[in-house]
Amino acid sequence: MGGTAWPHPQGGAGRAVDRFLIAGLIEARSCERFALLRDPVADPELAAFYGRLFESEARHHATYVRIAKEFADEETVRVRLAELAADEARIMPAGDPRPRMHS
């Protein structure tokens, strides 16, 4: 996204919704990655640490979705989030397979 503007068919509000939902998807993926790190760890302290990071990322995801709803109604946000998640699923196999945070 960077600082580059692109034409959005729904104008500024649509662009804002997309930006917040994309940020939310990034947080959701980080949440999943922390679960992958947390679940097999034998050290309870380290597992708890990853668990707290998991919870934090989940809250960030929810916050971004909530903020998107300030720019569009709930149904629009729900549909757009599903569209963006489908796009993400389609392009992910082309990316680097190594797990990273916020990638």
Side-chain angles (χ1 to χ4, degrees), residues 17-18 21-22 25 29 61 65 74-90:
V17 168
D18 279 0
L21 293 180
I22 290 167
L25 285 169
R29 296 311 149 245
H61 166 74
V65 173
E74 188 164 342
E75 178 66 10
T76 298
V77 169
R78 185 190 64 74
V79 168
R80 188 61 178 147
L81 182 58
E83 291 170 350
L84 291 170
D87 287 344
E88 176 193 41
R90 183 180 47 76

Side-chain angles (χ1 to χ4, degrees), residues 50-71:
Y50 286 138
R52 288 189 302 275
L53 292 173
F54 169 92
E55 292 166 2
S56 177
E57 297 298 280
R59 285 190 304 272
H60 295 161
H61 166 74
T63 297
Y64 281 123
V65 173
R66 181 175 40 80
I67 294 170
K69 291 176 186 176
E70 294 179 17
F71 293 88

Side-chain angles (χ1 to χ4, degrees), residues 21-33:
L21 293 180
I22 290 167
L25 285 169
I26 291 167
E27 297 296 327
R29 296 311 149 245
S30 291
C31 184
E32 291 169 350
R33 290 176 181 124

